[in-house]
Amino acid sequence: DDPAAADGRPGATVIDASGCAVIPGLVNCHGHLRPMRAQGEGMDVRTWHTTVVDGISERMSHDDAYAGAANAYAEMLLNGITTSLAMSIVESGDLEAARDIGIRARIVRHAVNREELESALALAEGQGGSEADRARLWLGMDGTAFYTDEELALAGAAMERSGLPLHTHFCEYRPEPVDRLEQSGMLRKGLILAHAVHVSEPESARLAAAGASVAHNVKSNMKFSSGAAPIRRFISEGI
């Protein structure tokens, strides 16, 4: 008998899942799409950036970005990840790859200076469409520690204007003050902080009260010896 016909849906694809666990698609809340993610062993994250990542990133073309993103997205899908939030160097290539492969993707620009930050915010705010789109841009930047208070305020104002979430690195390998997030207007629901390893109890309570979120990156934190994020505390506080 045809199981699809039996439940009133003739012609549907039937998958034999005997012996398998059927679960909802997984969500990857922080990643990078560059084609050198596996390079550089035995380094801390700052050394890795200066010796491996930065020189390659500044020379990447649209086609390089497409290839890196396509590989990353294919790897995710093969492991059951159907939604990805990731940082991009050449967001046009990454968006094209996401749309071609069919994954649900939110991409933020890995901006590293004021010019790139302003461009990234403008691209996300001016993209049109809606959150119903399968692949689109969100607001983002490399890490809050690399920006002045004035520059962080630009990001906070963009969040207020657009209602878009913002994704950035925070407290990955050293403590950073939550005060700067609050003063800039970024500390609100929709702020997604990657790593958040070195966050004190009083400061995590402030993140929780504001409705901010944390993306836990245990494999990266172990690879670069960045430390162990206080995940049990975050969960107990409702983050």
Side-chain angles (χ1 to χ4, degrees):
D1 294 339
D2 182 355
D7 71 0
R9 291 166 45 189
T13 300
V14 179
I15 298 172
D16 181 1
S18 352
C20 299
V22 180
I23 64 171
L26 302 175
V27 178
N28 182 350
C29 295
H30 175 69
H32 292 266
L33 302 172
R34 288 168 290 200
M36 80 292 280
R37 291 175 300 124
Q39 303 300 311
E41 295 297 329
M43 304 176 186
D44 62 47
V45 67
R46 288 166 291 180
T47 304
W48 179 69
H49 262 282
T50 56
T51 59
V52 177
V53 176
D54 295 345
I56 298 174
S57 295
E58 66 188 18
R59 294 172 173 81
M60 278 175 56
S61 67
H62 174 278
D63 289 345
D64 296 329
Y66 183 95
N71 178 71
Y73 287 140
E75 182 182 13
M76 290 182 206
L77 289 171
L78 285 169
N79 286 279
I81 296 167
T82 59
T83 300
S84 164
L85 171 59
M87 290 188 166
S88 163
I89 298 295
V90 185
E91 67 288 322
S92 58
D94 294 337
L95 275 168
E96 185 179 335
R99 289 165 178 156
D100 286 350
I101 284 185
I103 195 169
R104 182 169 179 257
R106 296 297 181 265
I107 296 170
V108 305
R109 178 75 184 272
H110 190 271
V112 296
N113 55 47
R114 181 168 186 147
E115 181 181 1
E116 290 186 2
L117 176 62
E118 291 177 338
S119 173
L121 299 177
L123 278 171
E125 288 191 89
Q127 70 188 307
S130 74
E131 286 303 308
D133 297 340
R134 179 171 283 176
R136 68 191 266 104
L137 299 174
W138 276 358
L139 305 172
M141 61 179 73
D142 178 5
T144 56
F146 305 114
Y147 292 91
T148 65
D149 291 344
E150 181 184 0
E151 288 164 346
L152 293 183
L154 295 175
M159 291 183 75
E160 175 71 28
R161 282 192 308 268
S162 67
L164 288 170
L166 185 145
H167 185 42
T168 184
H169 299 103
F170 183 70
C171 289
E172 180 175 1
Y173 53 85
R174 65 185 179 190
E176 299 176 45
V178 172
D179 278 345
R180 297 189 71 217
L181 300 179
E182 185 170 38
Q183 291 162 6
S184 70
M186 293 169 58
L187 187 59
R188 62 175 70 212
K189 188 174 178 61
L191 177 65
I192 305 164
L193 302 171
H195 300 285
V197 173
H198 302 281
V199 179
S200 69
E201 288 194 37
E203 299 208 312
S204 64
R206 293 173 66 186
L207 296 179
S213 302
V214 166
H216 183 35
N217 311 108
V218 60
K219 186 175 179 181
S220 172
N221 296 343
M222 291 167 62
K223 175 182 170 103
F224 297 118
S225 300
S226 299
I231 293 302
R232 294 182 70 178
R233 186 209 312 154
F234 290 159
I235 292 172
S236 72
E237 291 174 333
I239 295 176

